[in-house]
Amino acid sequence: MDRIETMRAFVAVAREHSFTAAGRRLGLSTKLVSKYVQQLEGSLRTQLFNRTTRNVSLTDVGTAYLERCRPILEQIDELDSLVRERQGALAGPVRLTAPTGFGSTRLTEALIPFLRRHPEVELDMKLTDNRVALVEEGIDLAIRIGALRDSTLIARKLADMPLVLCASPDYLERNGRPATPQALATHACLVDNNQRERNVWRFNDASGEHVVRLNGAVQTNSPGALARMAAGGLGIALAPLYAIEDALANDRLEKVLPDFTAATFGLYALYPPNRHLTRRLRALIDHLAGEFSTRWTV
Protein backbone atom coordinates (compact mmCIF):
# COMPACT_ATOMS: atom_id res chain seq x y z
CA MET A 1 0.00 0.00 0.00
CA ASP A 2 1.28 3.47 -0.95
CA ARG A 3 0.50 5.54 2.14
CA ILE A 4 0.87 8.83 0.26
CA GLU A 5 -1.69 7.83 -2.37
CA THR A 6 -4.17 6.67 0.27
CA MET A 7 -3.72 9.96 2.13
CA ARG A 8 -4.33 11.89 -1.08
CA ALA A 9 -7.53 9.93 -1.66
CA PHE A 10 -8.65 10.59 1.90
CA VAL A 11 -8.02 14.36 1.64
CA ALA A 12 -9.84 14.54 -1.71
CA VAL A 13 -12.91 12.75 -0.32
CA ALA A 14 -12.87 15.01 2.74
CA ARG A 15 -12.73 18.10 0.52
CA GLU A 16 -15.40 16.96 -1.97
CA HIS A 17 -17.68 15.08 0.49
CA SER A 18 -17.97 12.47 -2.24
CA PHE A 19 -15.97 9.47 -3.46
CA THR A 20 -17.11 10.10 -7.03
CA ALA A 21 -16.11 13.79 -7.01
CA ALA A 22 -12.81 12.90 -5.34
CA GLY A 23 -12.14 10.43 -8.13
CA ARG A 24 -12.74 13.11 -10.75
CA ARG A 25 -10.36 15.47 -8.94
CA LEU A 26 -7.64 12.80 -8.76
CA GLY A 27 -8.27 11.23 -12.15
CA LEU A 28 -9.11 7.90 -10.52
CA SER A 29 -12.16 5.65 -10.53
CA THR A 30 -14.61 5.86 -7.65
CA LYS A 31 -13.87 2.22 -6.89
CA LEU A 32 -10.13 2.85 -6.57
CA VAL A 33 -10.65 5.92 -4.34
CA SER A 34 -12.92 3.87 -2.09
CA LYS A 35 -10.30 1.09 -1.99
CA TYR A 36 -7.55 3.52 -0.99
CA VAL A 37 -9.65 4.99 1.83
CA GLN A 38 -10.57 1.52 3.08
CA GLN A 39 -6.89 0.55 3.07
CA LEU A 40 -6.02 3.67 5.05
CA GLU A 41 -8.78 2.99 7.57
CA GLY A 42 -7.62 -0.61 7.83
CA SER A 43 -4.02 0.39 8.52
CA LEU A 44 -5.12 2.95 11.12
CA ARG A 45 -7.72 0.57 12.57
CA THR A 46 -10.33 3.31 12.73
CA GLN A 47 -13.21 4.75 10.71
CA LEU A 48 -12.41 8.10 9.08
CA PHE A 49 -15.76 8.73 7.37
CA ASN A 50 -19.43 8.34 8.19
CA ARG A 51 -21.02 7.01 5.00
CA THR A 52 -24.67 7.16 3.97
CA THR A 53 -26.28 6.84 0.55
CA ARG A 54 -26.50 10.65 0.33
CA ASN A 55 -23.55 11.98 2.27
CA VAL A 56 -19.95 11.38 3.28
CA SER A 57 -18.76 13.20 6.40
CA LEU A 58 -15.69 13.01 8.59
CA THR A 59 -15.75 11.28 11.93
CA ASP A 60 -14.10 13.05 14.88
CA VAL A 61 -10.98 10.94 14.30
CA GLY A 62 -11.16 11.73 10.59
CA THR A 63 -11.27 15.47 11.31
CA ALA A 64 -8.21 15.22 13.54
CA TYR A 65 -6.37 13.09 10.97
CA LEU A 66 -7.20 15.57 8.19
CA GLU A 67 -5.68 18.46 10.15
CA ARG A 68 -2.36 16.59 10.33
CA CYS A 69 -2.55 14.87 6.97
CA ARG A 70 -3.06 17.95 4.78
CA PRO A 71 0.17 19.80 5.75
CA ILE A 72 2.19 16.61 5.22
CA LEU A 73 0.92 16.29 1.66
CA GLU A 74 1.50 20.00 1.05
CA GLN A 75 5.11 19.61 2.17
CA ILE A 76 5.60 16.63 -0.14
CA ASP A 77 4.11 18.58 -3.06
CA GLU A 78 6.28 21.53 -2.17
CA LEU A 79 9.43 19.40 -2.14
CA ASP A 80 8.58 18.06 -5.60
CA SER A 81 7.90 21.56 -6.87
CA LEU A 82 11.08 22.91 -5.29
CA VAL A 83 13.20 20.43 -7.23
CA ARG A 84 11.51 21.38 -10.50
CA GLU A 85 11.74 25.09 -9.76
CA ARG A 86 15.43 24.78 -8.91
CA GLN A 87 15.81 23.52 -12.47
CA GLY A 88 14.51 26.89 -13.67
CA ALA A 89 10.76 26.46 -14.21
CA LEU A 90 7.86 27.46 -12.01
CA ALA A 91 5.98 24.27 -11.29
CA GLY A 92 3.39 22.71 -9.04
CA PRO A 93 -0.23 23.26 -7.98
CA VAL A 94 -1.92 26.58 -7.26
CA ARG A 95 -5.42 26.39 -5.78
CA LEU A 96 -7.18 29.71 -6.32
CA THR A 97 -10.67 31.06 -5.62
CA ALA A 98 -12.36 34.21 -6.94
CA PRO A 99 -15.83 35.73 -7.46
CA THR A 100 -17.62 34.13 -10.39
CA GLY A 101 -18.12 37.22 -12.56
CA PHE A 102 -14.65 38.68 -12.14
CA GLY A 103 -12.97 35.28 -12.18
CA SER A 104 -14.57 34.15 -15.43
CA THR A 105 -13.71 37.38 -17.24
CA ARG A 106 -10.92 39.75 -16.18
CA LEU A 107 -9.08 37.32 -13.93
CA THR A 108 -9.07 34.57 -16.56
CA GLU A 109 -7.78 37.06 -19.14
CA ALA A 110 -4.93 37.98 -16.78
CA LEU A 111 -4.11 34.35 -15.97
CA ILE A 112 -3.76 33.17 -19.56
CA PRO A 113 -0.34 34.75 -20.29
CA PHE A 114 1.02 33.56 -16.93
CA LEU A 115 -0.05 29.98 -17.56
CA ARG A 116 1.28 30.05 -21.12
CA ARG A 117 4.69 31.19 -19.82
CA HIS A 118 4.68 28.59 -17.02
CA PRO A 119 3.04 25.43 -18.38
CA GLU A 120 4.16 23.33 -15.39
CA VAL A 121 2.03 25.38 -13.00
CA GLU A 122 -1.13 23.37 -12.29
CA LEU A 123 -4.02 25.80 -11.71
CA ASP A 124 -7.14 24.67 -9.85
CA MET A 125 -9.54 27.64 -9.94
CA LYS A 126 -12.73 27.62 -7.90
CA LEU A 127 -15.16 30.39 -8.85
CA THR A 128 -17.88 31.16 -6.33
CA ASP A 129 -19.65 34.18 -4.89
CA ASN A 130 -19.68 32.54 -1.46
CA ARG A 131 -16.89 33.17 1.01
CA VAL A 132 -14.49 30.25 0.98
CA ALA A 133 -12.61 29.14 4.10
CA LEU A 134 -9.12 29.03 2.65
CA VAL A 135 -7.44 26.83 5.24
CA GLU A 136 -10.30 24.34 5.52
CA GLU A 137 -10.66 24.07 1.72
CA GLY A 138 -6.93 23.86 1.07
CA ILE A 139 -6.94 27.07 -1.01
CA ASP A 140 -3.63 28.82 -1.65
CA LEU A 141 -4.92 32.18 -2.86
CA ALA A 142 -8.19 34.14 -2.87
CA ILE A 143 -8.92 37.09 -5.14
CA ARG A 144 -11.50 39.41 -3.61
CA ILE A 145 -13.04 42.78 -4.41
CA GLY A 146 -14.37 45.21 -1.82
CA ALA A 147 -13.75 46.26 1.72
CA LEU A 148 -11.90 43.52 3.58
CA ARG A 149 -13.48 42.00 6.64
CA ASP A 150 -11.45 41.48 9.79
CA SER A 151 -9.40 38.41 9.07
CA THR A 152 -6.20 36.58 9.91
CA LEU A 153 -5.49 36.28 6.19
CA ILE A 154 -2.56 38.16 4.70
CA ALA A 155 -3.71 40.62 2.03
CA ARG A 156 -1.89 42.29 -0.83
CA LYS A 157 -3.69 45.01 -2.71
CA LEU A 158 -3.46 44.44 -6.46
CA ALA A 159 -5.38 47.48 -7.69
CA ASP A 160 -8.04 50.08 -6.98
CA MET A 161 -11.47 49.23 -8.36
CA PRO A 162 -13.62 52.35 -8.87
CA LEU A 163 -17.38 52.26 -8.49
CA VAL A 164 -19.12 54.08 -11.34
CA LEU A 165 -22.67 55.42 -11.49
CA CYS A 166 -24.15 54.55 -14.87
CA ALA A 167 -27.31 54.06 -16.87
CA SER A 168 -28.31 53.37 -20.46
CA PRO A 169 -28.84 56.36 -22.79
CA ASP A 170 -32.39 55.07 -23.36
CA TYR A 171 -33.21 55.17 -19.64
CA LEU A 172 -31.79 58.67 -19.27
CA GLU A 173 -33.70 59.95 -22.30
CA ARG A 174 -36.93 58.59 -20.83
CA ASN A 175 -36.38 59.65 -17.23
CA GLY A 176 -33.97 62.59 -17.39
CA ARG A 177 -30.39 62.95 -16.27
CA PRO A 178 -30.03 63.66 -12.54
CA ALA A 179 -28.02 66.81 -11.81
CA THR A 180 -27.29 66.09 -8.14
CA PRO A 181 -26.97 62.97 -6.00
CA GLN A 182 -30.19 63.91 -4.19
CA ALA A 183 -32.08 63.64 -7.49
CA LEU A 184 -31.38 59.90 -7.50
CA ALA A 185 -34.19 59.48 -4.96
CA THR A 186 -36.69 59.92 -7.79
CA HIS A 187 -35.03 57.37 -10.08
CA ALA A 188 -35.12 53.59 -10.37
CA CYS A 189 -31.87 52.49 -8.72
CA LEU A 190 -30.35 49.05 -9.19
CA VAL A 191 -28.71 47.86 -5.99
CA ASP A 192 -25.65 45.66 -5.53
CA ASN A 193 -26.39 43.86 -2.28
CA ASN A 194 -22.77 42.80 -1.89
CA GLN A 195 -22.12 46.27 -0.52
CA ARG A 196 -22.27 46.76 3.24
CA GLU A 197 -24.76 49.63 2.97
CA ARG A 198 -27.17 48.15 0.49
CA ASN A 199 -29.60 51.06 0.30
CA VAL A 200 -27.13 53.91 0.75
CA TRP A 201 -24.93 55.47 -1.92
CA ARG A 202 -22.20 57.95 -1.00
CA PHE A 203 -20.65 60.51 -3.33
CA ASN A 204 -18.06 63.24 -2.97
CA ASP A 205 -17.27 66.49 -4.71
CA ALA A 206 -15.51 69.71 -3.72
CA SER A 207 -18.31 70.57 -1.28
CA GLY A 208 -17.99 67.31 0.66
CA GLU A 209 -19.90 64.05 1.02
CA HIS A 210 -23.42 63.47 -0.27
CA VAL A 211 -25.42 60.55 1.16
CA VAL A 212 -28.37 59.18 -0.81
CA ARG A 213 -30.86 56.71 0.64
CA LEU A 214 -32.44 54.48 -1.97
CA ASN A 215 -35.59 52.51 -2.52
CA GLY A 216 -34.09 49.95 -4.85
CA ALA A 217 -36.76 47.67 -6.30
CA VAL A 218 -34.14 45.54 -8.06
CA GLN A 219 -31.24 44.01 -6.13
CA THR A 220 -28.62 41.44 -7.07
CA ASN A 221 -25.37 40.04 -5.71
CA SER A 222 -23.88 39.85 -9.21
CA PRO A 223 -22.09 42.93 -10.65
CA GLY A 224 -22.41 41.37 -14.10
CA ALA A 225 -26.19 41.08 -13.75
CA LEU A 226 -26.28 44.64 -12.43
CA ALA A 227 -24.45 45.89 -15.53
CA ARG A 228 -26.72 43.98 -17.90
CA MET A 229 -29.88 45.27 -16.21
CA ALA A 230 -28.59 48.84 -16.39
CA ALA A 231 -27.71 48.40 -20.07
CA GLY A 232 -31.23 47.03 -20.55
CA GLY A 233 -32.71 50.33 -19.38
CA LEU A 234 -34.06 49.22 -16.00
CA GLY A 235 -32.43 51.99 -14.00
CA ILE A 236 -29.28 53.58 -12.63
CA ALA A 237 -26.57 51.32 -11.19
CA LEU A 238 -23.48 51.87 -9.07
CA ALA A 239 -21.20 49.13 -10.33
CA PRO A 240 -17.51 48.20 -10.22
CA LEU A 241 -15.75 49.47 -13.32
CA TYR A 242 -14.59 46.02 -14.49
CA ALA A 243 -18.23 44.93 -14.89
CA ILE A 244 -19.31 47.88 -17.05
CA GLU A 245 -16.18 48.98 -18.94
CA ASP A 246 -17.16 47.16 -22.14
CA ALA A 247 -20.68 48.64 -22.07
CA LEU A 248 -19.24 52.11 -21.48
CA ALA A 249 -16.86 51.68 -24.40
CA ASN A 250 -19.61 50.75 -26.86
CA ASP A 251 -22.08 53.35 -25.54
CA ARG A 252 -24.62 50.90 -24.13
CA LEU A 253 -24.02 52.66 -20.81
CA GLU A 254 -22.96 56.18 -19.94
CA LYS A 255 -21.67 57.73 -16.74
CA VAL A 256 -24.14 59.55 -14.52
CA LEU A 257 -23.12 62.50 -12.32
CA PRO A 258 -19.57 62.51 -13.74
CA ASP A 259 -18.56 65.43 -11.50
CA PHE A 260 -19.16 63.33 -8.39
CA THR A 261 -17.03 60.38 -7.31
CA ALA A 262 -18.19 57.28 -5.50
CA ALA A 263 -16.15 54.98 -3.30
CA THR A 264 -13.30 52.92 -4.64
CA PHE A 265 -13.06 49.25 -3.79
CA GLY A 266 -9.81 47.36 -3.54
CA LEU A 267 -8.83 44.29 -5.53
CA TYR A 268 -6.89 41.99 -3.21
CA ALA A 269 -4.94 38.76 -3.18
CA LEU A 270 -5.30 36.95 0.15
CA TYR A 271 -3.54 33.90 1.52
CA PRO A 272 -3.33 32.13 4.89
CA PRO A 273 -0.58 33.31 7.24
CA ASN A 274 0.61 29.76 7.84
CA ARG A 275 0.90 28.98 4.12
CA HIS A 276 4.44 29.10 2.76
CA LEU A 277 4.49 31.60 -0.10
CA THR A 278 6.08 29.48 -2.81
CA ARG A 279 8.01 30.97 -5.68
CA ARG A 280 5.20 30.15 -8.10
CA LEU A 281 2.60 31.75 -5.82
CA ARG A 282 4.70 34.86 -5.31
CA ALA A 283 5.27 35.07 -9.09
CA LEU A 284 1.54 34.76 -9.73
CA ILE A 285 0.67 37.53 -7.27
CA ASP A 286 3.34 39.77 -8.80
CA HIS A 287 1.98 39.02 -12.27
CA LEU A 288 -1.60 39.89 -11.26
CA ALA A 289 -0.43 43.11 -9.61
CA GLY A 290 1.33 44.05 -12.84
CA GLU A 291 -1.73 43.21 -14.93
CA PHE A 292 -4.20 45.12 -12.78
CA SER A 293 -2.31 47.98 -11.11
CA THR A 294 -2.90 50.45 -13.95
CA ARG A 295 -5.94 48.79 -15.52
CA TRP A 296 -8.84 50.77 -14.07
CA THR A 297 -9.16 54.53 -13.91
CA VAL A 298 -12.30 56.63 -13.91
Side-chain angles (χ1 to χ4, degrees):
M1 176 183 69
D2 187 327
R3 176 57 64 93
I4 299 301
E5 291 306 313
T6 61
M7 290 168 65
R8 289 192 192 281
F10 162 71
V11 170
V13 174
R15 181 181 297 167
E16 302 291 341
H17 306 286
S18 162
F19 284 87
T20 301
R24 285 196 296 267
R25 172 178 285 273
L26 297 173
L28 302 174
S29 68
T30 303
K31 183 177 180 180
L32 186 55
V33 171
S34 178
K35 178 182 177 181
Y36 280 161
V37 172
Q38 289 174 5
Q39 288 177 341
L40 183 61
E41 288 178 323
S43 68
L44 296 173
R45 297 182 182 179
T46 190
Q47 184 176 337
L48 298 173
F49 291 108
N50 295 310
R51 302 164 173 83
T52 68
T53 55
R54 294 186 177 183
N55 188 41
V56 177
S57 61
L58 288 165
T59 62
D60 289 342
V61 174
T63 299
Y65 189 72
L66 179 65
E67 291 176 359
R68 291 157 179 80
C69 182
R70 184 181 284 142
I72 291 172
L73 292 178
E74 288 175 352
Q75 289 179 25
I76 291 171
D77 289 339
E78 192 52 42
L79 284 172
D80 291 344
S81 300
L82 180 63
V83 171
R84 285 184 283 174
E85 290 181 357
R86 285 286 178 87
Q87 296 173 335
L90 297 181
V94 171
R95 293 170 290 274
L96 180 150
T97 186
T100 303
F102 183 76
S104 61
T105 54
R106 301 303 182 238
L107 179 60
T108 296
E109 292 167 3
L111 286 169
I112 288 171
F114 180 85
L115 295 172
R116 288 175 67 91
R117 282 199 304 272
H118 308 291
E120 293 188 57
V121 172
E122 305 155 15
L123 179 67
D124 181 355
M125 184 164 63
K126 178 178 183 179
L127 300 181
T128 175
D129 294 321
N130 296 322
R131 291 276 171 167
V132 176
L134 269 63
V135 175
E136 289 80 356
E137 296 290 333
I139 300 295
D140 298 308
L141 188 68
I143 305 299
R144 291 180 181 162
I145 301 173
L148 293 180
R149 302 176 183 178
D150 292 338
S151 171
T152 59
L153 298 174
I154 297 174
R156 176 175 171 184
K157 190 173 185 180
L158 302 176
D160 288 319
M161 179 62 68
L163 293 177
V164 178
L165 195 67
C166 61
S168 70
D170 171 67
Y171 173 87
L172 295 172
E173 289 295 331
R174 286 185 286 110
N175 296 279
R177 288 170 170 79
T180 66
Q182 288 68 32
L184 293 170
T186 65
H187 282 267
C189 294
L190 312 177
V191 177
D192 181 353
N193 58 26
N194 286 307
Q195 299 185 31
R196 289 184 177 180
E197 295 181 296
R198 295 184 181 182
N199 294 312
V200 174
W201 286 347
R202 298 177 183 273
F203 303 92
N204 288 279
D205 68 355
S207 65
E209 185 180 55
H210 305 263
V211 180
V212 181
R213 298 197 176 276
L214 313 169
N215 291 310
V218 178
Q219 300 187 19
T220 177
N221 68 343
S222 166
L226 198 71
R228 285 186 286 275
M229 287 189 286
L234 294 183
I236 298 176
L238 184 63
L241 182 53
Y242 84 84
I244 63 169
E245 57 185 339
D246 291 341
L248 288 173
N250 60 31
D251 297 324
R252 289 187 295 117
L253 287 173
E254 66 177 72
K255 294 178 183 178
V256 177
L257 298 176
D259 295 331
F260 295 82
T261 59
T264 296
F265 281 170
L267 173 66
Y268 296 94
L270 296 93
Y271 55 91
N274 60 348
R275 184 65 49 83
H276 173 61
L277 199 59
T278 61
R279 193 161 71 91
R280 64 184 175 278
L281 198 57
R282 189 183 304 277
L284 176 57
I285 295 172
D286 289 343
H287 168 79
L288 294 177
E291 288 282 314
F292 294 140
S293 60
T294 59
R295 172 68 187 268
W296 293 286
T297 57
V298 178

